Amino acid sequence: MRLRLTSLLAALSVSTLSAQGAARLTPQHLDSLKTEVSRAIDAEATMTQQMVDMVFSFGELAFQEVETSRYLTDILRKHGFTVRQNVSGLPTGWVAVWGTGKPVIAIGSDIDGIPQASQKPGVAYHDPIVQDAPGHGEGHNSGQAVNITAAIVLKRIMQRDRLPGTIMLWPGVAEELLGSKAWFVRDGLFQDVDAVIFSHVDSDFSTSYGAPTGTGLVSIEYTFEGETAHAAGSPWRGRSALDAVELLNAAWNYRREHLRPQHRVHYVIPNGGDQPNVVPRRASVWYYLRETDHAHIRALFAAGDTLARAAAMMAGVKLSQARVLGAAWPRHFNKPLAEAMHANIRRVGMPRWTSADVTLATAVQREVGGRARGLDTAVAEIGTGVNPDRNPGGGSDDIGDVSWVVPTITLRYPSNIPGLPGHNWSSAVAMATPIAHKGATAGAKAMAMTMLDLIASPALRDSAWAYFRDVQTRNEKYQALIRPTDKPPIEMNEAVMARFRPTMRRFYYDPTRYKTYLEQLGITYPTVRPDSSGRPR
Ligand SMILES: [Zn+2]
C-alpha cells in the first residue's frame, strides 16, 4: 500500500487557509505566540493528565494497542483532525491530519507497553495492578498526550491567525518490537513531510543531533522442523527441532568472542516443544541482532543465516522459516531542528517537583538498588552525537528509519525517574503520577514552540534539509533492512492480551468519576515502604 499524504490532504475540507508561502512572523510576534501556547498548554493540563492516565490504564502490548488507538483517534477527530486507520496494514496504525499547505510537520510517539510491567502508580515497590499483566514499564503512555496537547493548542492559534501549515500525528506502534516505522517509511508515509518531531519519555528534558549512542537491529525468528517420536521409547525415530535451537544459541554464544564489543545479540525461545516425552517437531528462537552501523547489522544478519542453516544440518532437521519481525536503522538527528528545540526546552525549563515527587523517586531508586538521586532539576545540554568509532552500543529505536528519510529529532521530556533499569515495573511507578503529568505538559510546550518555529521560519526548514542532504546523507544512504515482502507480525501478543485484558479492563481509568488514576485506585501519593530510607538491599 502506498499511502501518500497528498491523498489525505485532498480529503480535508476543514480549512480555508492559504497554502501559499510561509507565515511571515516578526521575531516579536513569534515570541508572543510562544508565550501564548505555553499558557494555553498549562490551561489544558487536565486534558493532558487524563490522556496520560488513560493510556497508562490500558497497558497494551505491541501490535495490540487497540483501546489506546481508539481513544486517541477519538480525541483527535473530536478536535477536527482527519484520521486514517490501518496504516501500513497495522490495525492500530493511524495518521491524523489537520491544516493546509507547507510546512507539513509530522509528530509521533510510541504507544506500546512492556510484558509483566503492571504496577500501581505512585507506589515505590513492586505492586502490580494485575499480577503478571503487561504495563507501561517504559512510559509510552505519555508521548501521545504530549503531541496531542501541542497539536490541539497550536491548531487553535493557527486557525485564528490564519497561519499556513499541516499538522500530522502518528503513533509508534509496537516500538518495543521495532515493528512499525520501517514499514511506514516503506509505504511512503513521510514522503511529503518537511520535518518530523518525535517525542519520547525520559527523566531529563533534552534533545540531540547527530548519531546518539545505541544500535540498529534486525529482529528475526528462526523456526526449525523435525519429527516427533516417543522420547524414551524410540528417540532414534525422532529429530528434535529444539536441538537445532540449542545448537544455534551455542553457536552465537561462541561467535560473540569474535564480534565487536558494541554488538548486542540476544534471544528468547518462543517455542521449545510441547512436553519432554515427545521429541519436539517444531521449535523456534527469536533474535535481536544489533550493531551500531548498517554494514555490521547486515553482517550479523548474514551470520545468523549461516549459523541457523548449520544448526539445522547438525540436528538433522529443516530450517523452515527465517521471519523478519522487526527492524531499526541506527538513528541520526537533525542539527538545526535540535538547536531550535533546545532553545525552546531552555525557555520552558524543568517542571517544579514537590517533595512528594522527590520522595517517590528516591524510594524507587533505593528499591531497585540504585543511587538515591531524586529527580533532575536542570534541563540537559544539547546532545551533540557520538563519533561512530566511540559508540558503545545499546538500545535501538525504529525512529532511526524515519530519521533517514526526513529531517527528524526526538524531544525527550521529563516524565520519569532517572537511574532505573528500564523495561521493568519500576519505570511504570511514576507514569501516572504528577511527575509524568508535569513532564508531559513541559514536553507539550517545547513541542508546540518548535512547531511554531517551523511554521514561522522557512529558513529553519531550509537549513534542516541542507543538513540532511549535505551532512547526514552525503556518504550514507538509507537502505531498508526489511525486505519488500516482509509484513509486520500483527498477531504478536494477541494471546497475552486475550488472557489479561478481561481483568485489566476492570481497572481502566474513568475520568468522569475520578480526577486522577491515583484517586481511582485509592493510592496515597506517594506510597513508600516505611523503612525505605536506608534498608540495605
Ligand atoms: Zn521507548
Side-chain angles (χ1 to χ4, degrees):
M1 182 188 61
R2 199 119 189 110
L3 193 144
R4 295 292 306 267
L5 189 61
T6 34
S7 61
L8 283 173
L9 297 177
L12 283 173
S13 57
V14 287
S15 181
T16 54
L17 295 172
S18 158
Q20 301 306 310
R24 302 279 172 203
L25 298 179
T26 62
Q28 293 83 345
H29 188 188
L30 176 61
D31 187 74
S32 73
L33 285 182
K34 286 187 180 181
T35 306
E36 191 188 347
V37 292
S38 178
R39 290 211 186 103
I41 286 168
D42 277 328
E44 297 293 355
T46 301
M47 175 181 75
T48 310
Q49 167 255 314
Q50 288 182 353
M51 287 191 274
V52 169
D53 286 4
M54 185 67 91
V55 178
F56 183 91
S57 77
F58 293 146
E60 293 175 305
L61 288 174
F63 295 116
Q64 307 302 322
E65 310 95 335
V66 180
E67 305 276 11
T68 303
S69 285
R70 187 186 305 136
Y71 168 74
L72 296 173
T73 52
D74 278 355
I75 292 173
L76 286 162
R77 269 197 207 91
K78 221 176 291 161
H79 283 90
F81 286 77
T82 299
V83 176
R84 172 167 299 193
Q85 276 159 322
N86 282 308
V87 173
S88 288
L90 293 159
T92 56
W94 47 266
V95 180
V97 181
W98 176 85
T100 16
K102 294 277 183 183
V104 180
I105 307 168
I107 62 179
S109 199
D110 301 325
I111 55 173
D112 56 324
I114 300 280
Q116 303 194 37
S118 177
Q119 169 67 25
K120 288 183 187 155
V123 177
Y125 45 86
H126 191 202
D127 188 6
I129 299 171
V130 176
Q131 185 67 43
D132 298 335
H136 277 290
E138 169 144 336
H140 286 178
N141 59 304
S142 54
Q144 289 293 337
V146 167
N147 295 3
I148 293 174
T149 304
I152 287 172
V153 166
L154 191 61
K155 168 181 176 256
R156 247 181 252 148
I157 288 170
M158 289 170 72
Q159 236 162 351
R160 184 197 65 197
D161 292 0
R162 305 178 67 80
L163 301 176
T166 304
I167 305 173
M168 164 180 161
L169 296 99
W170 56 280
V173 170
E175 188 279 328
E176 299 299 348
L177 303 185
L178 300 313
S180 66
K181 300 185 192 90
W183 279 274
F184 289 160
V185 167
R186 188 178 75 185
D187 295 338
L189 190 64
F190 302 100
Q191 209 142 34
D192 303 310
V193 169
D194 295 292
V196 168
I197 309 179
F198 194 66
S199 65
H200 196 283
V201 61
D202 209 305
S203 56
D204 65 17
F205 201 6
S206 66
T207 193
S208 67
Y209 61 82
T213 61
T215 56
L217 70 72
V218 177
S219 160
I220 183 164
E221 184 180 44
Y222 304 98
T223 301
F224 297 96
E225 209 165 314
E227 186 53 82
T228 63
H230 193 300
S234 50
W236 47 87
R237 308 273 300 267
R239 287 289 177 270
S240 170
L242 180 60
D243 288 355
V245 165
E246 292 192 87
L247 288 163
L248 174 55
N249 295 345
W252 265 117
N253 290 329
Y254 277 100
R255 180 60 67 97
R256 282 179 204 282
E257 184 186 354
H258 311 290
L259 296 175
R260 306 198 308 164
Q262 50 268 62
H263 89 280
R264 300 285 189 283
V265 168
H266 28 236
Y267 56 88
V268 295
I269 302 176
N271 179 6
D274 300 304
Q275 57 190 51
N277 66 348
V278 179
V279 172
R281 178 206 297 278
R282 196 165 284 139
S284 57
V285 58
W286 174 18
Y287 271 85
Y288 277 13
L289 306 174
R290 307 196 203 229
E291 249 287 5
T292 58
D293 63 44
H294 171 229
H296 285 96
I297 298 167
R298 289 251 182 233
L300 291 181
F301 201 177
D305 250 29
T306 308
L307 298 184
R309 277 187 282 112
M313 284 168 71
M314 283 188 281
V317 300
K318 231 173 67 195
L319 171 63
S320 57
Q321 200 181 34
R323 185 181 179 200
V324 171
L325 301 179
W329 190 270
R331 293 160 287 178
H332 190 111
F333 295 123
N334 190 270
K335 188 174 181 185
L337 293 183
E339 286 169 341
M341 175 62 86
H342 183 64
N344 291 321
I345 287 172
R346 290 176 65 111
R347 179 174 176 148
V348 174
M350 287 299 276
R352 229 168 283 149
W353 309 121
T354 61
S355 60
D357 300 333
V358 177
T359 302
L360 180 75
T362 342
V364 176
Q365 287 159 344
R366 283 205 184 94
E367 182 74 18
V368 299
R371 189 163 67 83
R373 55 189 266 215
L375 293 163
D376 291 350
T377 53
V379 304
E381 289 303 313
I382 191 167
T384 55
V386 64
N387 178 325
D389 302 326
R390 299 256 166 81
N391 183 348
S396 320
D397 187 326
D398 52 0
I399 191 64
D401 292 70
V402 180
S403 74
W404 283 87
V405 295
V406 57
T408 299
I409 50 168
T410 293
L411 156 66
R412 307 194 79 92
Y413 55 90
S415 277
N416 214 334
I417 297 167
L420 306 181
H423 291 183
N424 178 258
W425 61 267
S426 57
S427 292
V429 170
M431 287 316 304
T433 72
I435 298 174
H437 303 148
K438 288 184 277 192
T441 292
K445 291 178 186 177
M447 173 67 81
M449 288 180 189
T450 310
M451 294 168 80
L452 272 172
D453 284 329
L454 279 162
I455 291 165
S457 172
L460 173 60
R461 278 132 59 186
D462 290 347
S463 56
W465 278 97
Y467 176 89
F468 181 83
R469 264 192 324 266
D470 305 336
V471 180
Q472 180 183 348
T473 62
R474 196 156 74 136
N475 297 319
E476 195 180 358
K477 301 272 186 271
Y478 176 70
Q479 306 156 56
L481 288 159
I482 55 168
R483 300 160 299 194
T485 51
D486 289 325
K487 289 195 178 107
I490 57 173
E491 79 289 355
M492 290 186 83
N493 290 322
E494 225 167 50
V496 186
M497 285 314 298
R499 187 171 145 218
F500 287 108
R501 205 189 286 282
T503 320
M504 293 171 75
R505 193 170 274 133
R506 298 209 295 269
F507 298 95
Y508 286 175
Y509 173 45
D510 181 359
T512 64
R513 293 178 60 200
Y514 302 98
K515 271 177 67 183
T516 64
Y517 194 43
L518 284 172
E519 186 186 313
Q520 177 171 334
L521 296 176
I523 292 167
T524 309
Y525 181 75
T527 298
V528 302
R529 287 189 199 276
D531 59 347
S532 78
S533 52
R535 186 158 62 112
R537 298 182 63 84

